[in-house]
């Protein structure tokens, strides 16, 4: 694990969890999806640090009840264990009601008195966690992670109080980064609109007036060349 404080422990994820397991796809696949039903969580719904639910993959309640081993609960850590998105993880929100996962998503349910779920998710998304996931992959193309592999991943364990404090600190940073990203998107959109107005003359800057003249580029440029294909 590298250098860690002396009063921290090191253990396997399975030592601090009550459930490690994935689901399955019901017979019929996407053909059984309904317009009103129970969320069926797939790997594309598990993003980095967030769960994106949609209405494109809802299953009938009857099928949901038949798949009790794949029930998802608020606070569960979801980890993608196959495909290109392997290693992506998130914590199921507190306001989540019910749902199931398919075979590409692993449910990791922590023992709350031992391991904070947000701390676990942060570790899984860290450099050390991602390196462990890469090492534990199985199969010829090494694009799969089984339940025993997930459980055998080693994790540093500070006190529960310190786990929560670390998770809260990094969560604050995530929130700030998200807000900054949204602000940047808004600013870019506003700039694009302003460019359109300024470059068409619909909006004029202070101190400028009069009509614009439309000309061909060849009439105002000294030279216009076209690069031929393959030319250096």
């Amino acid at each position: 694990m590298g250098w860690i404080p002396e009063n921290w422990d090191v253990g396997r994820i399975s030592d601090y969890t009550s459930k490690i397991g994935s689901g399955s796809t019901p017979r019929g696949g996407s053909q059984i999806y309904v317009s009103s039903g129970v969320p069926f969580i797939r790997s594309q719904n598990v993003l980095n640090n967030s769960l994106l639910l949609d209405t494109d993959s809802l299953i009938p309640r009857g099928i949901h009840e038949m798949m009790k081993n794949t029930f998802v609960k608020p606070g569960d850590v979801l980890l993608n264990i196959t495909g290109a998105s392997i290693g992506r993880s998130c914590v199921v929100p507190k306001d989540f009601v019910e749902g199931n996962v398919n075979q590409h998503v692993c449910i990791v349910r922590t023992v709350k008195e031992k391991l904070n779920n947000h701390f676990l998710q942060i570790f899984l998304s860290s450099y050390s966690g991602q390196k462990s996931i890469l090492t534990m992959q199985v199969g010829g193309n090494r694009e799969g992670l089984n339940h025993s592999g997930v459980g055998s991943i080693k994790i540093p364990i500070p006190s529960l109080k310190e786990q929560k404090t670390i998770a809260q600190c990094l969560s604050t940073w995530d929130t700030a980064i998200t807000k900054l990203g949204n602000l940047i998107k808004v600013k870019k959109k506003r700039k694009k609109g302003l460019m359109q107005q300024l470059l068409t003359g619909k909006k004029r800057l202070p101190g400028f007036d009069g009509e614009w003249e439309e000309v061909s580029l060849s009439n105002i440029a000294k030279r216009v060349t076209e690069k031929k294909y393959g030319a250096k």
Side-chain angles (χ1 to χ4, degrees):
M1 296 302 299
W3 184 92
I4 60 173
E6 290 183 355
N7 62 340
W8 286 26
D9 291 327
V10 174
R12 301 179 186 276
I13 289 178
S14 58
D15 297 332
Y16 306 94
T17 55
S18 61
K19 179 182 178 65
I20 297 177
S22 58
S24 61
T25 298
R27 183 175 297 179
S30 60
Q31 299 298 320
I32 67 166
Y33 292 164
V34 293
S35 59
S36 178
V38 179
F40 187 58
I41 299 171
R42 302 165 294 169
S43 58
Q44 54 262 53
N45 300 119
V46 179
L47 307 181
N48 289 315
N49 306 325
S50 64
L51 178 62
L52 178 63
L53 297 177
D54 56 48
T55 57
D56 296 330
S57 55
L58 302 176
I59 59 176
R61 179 160 297 280
I63 294 179
H64 162 71
E65 294 293 343
M66 293 172 58
M67 301 171 61
K68 292 184 178 181
N69 287 334
T70 71
F71 281 11
V72 177
K73 297 180 179 181
D76 283 347
V77 176
L78 302 183
L79 172 67
N80 287 349
I81 55 176
T82 65
S85 66
I86 187 171
R88 282 204 315 236
S89 63
C90 70
V91 176
V92 179
K94 293 180 180 180
D95 58 356
F96 181 83
V97 179
E98 58 185 353
N100 305 81
V101 295
N102 69 3
Q103 69 273 24
H104 303 296
V105 181
C106 182
I107 300 171
V108 184
R109 190 167 297 152
T110 64
V111 177
K112 296 180 180 180
E113 296 77 18
K114 295 181 178 181
L115 179 59
N116 178 266
N117 53 356
H118 290 278
F119 180 83
L120 171 60
Q121 190 277 321
I122 288 170
F123 170 77
L124 290 173
S125 63
S126 70
Y127 172 79
S128 296
Q130 291 291 297
K131 183 178 180 181
S132 296
I133 290 171
L134 180 64
T135 303
M136 293 296 175
Q137 290 184 63
V138 296
N141 56 7
R142 297 188 65 80
E143 287 190 358
L145 189 65
N146 56 35
H147 303 161
S148 61
V150 174
S152 64
I153 294 175
K154 291 184 178 180
I155 180 174
I157 304 292
S159 68
L160 191 60
K161 181 179 180 180
E162 189 167 1
Q163 290 178 40
K164 293 179 179 179
T165 303
I166 291 172
Q168 289 171 355
C169 174
L170 295 177
S171 176
T172 300
W173 276 95
D174 283 337
T175 301
I177 291 170
T178 300
K179 289 182 178 179
L180 181 60
N182 292 336
L183 179 61
I184 291 174
K185 289 180 181 179
V186 171
K187 295 295 185 182
K188 285 183 176 180
K189 187 175 181 179
R190 289 181 178 177
K191 178 194 172 185
K192 188 174 182 179
L194 181 59
M195 285 175 60
Q196 180 66 18
Q197 289 183 316
L198 290 175
L199 295 178
T200 57
K202 292 181 179 179
K203 183 178 181 67
R204 308 296 296 274
L205 294 175
F208 296 92
D209 53 20
E211 296 297 323
W212 285 23
E213 181 182 359
E214 183 176 333
V215 298
S216 298
L217 182 61
S218 59
N219 293 333
I220 59 174
K222 289 184 178 180
R223 184 181 182 185
V224 178
T225 60
E226 180 180 352
K227 183 178 180 179
K228 295 183 178 180
Y229 179 77
K232 295 183 179 179

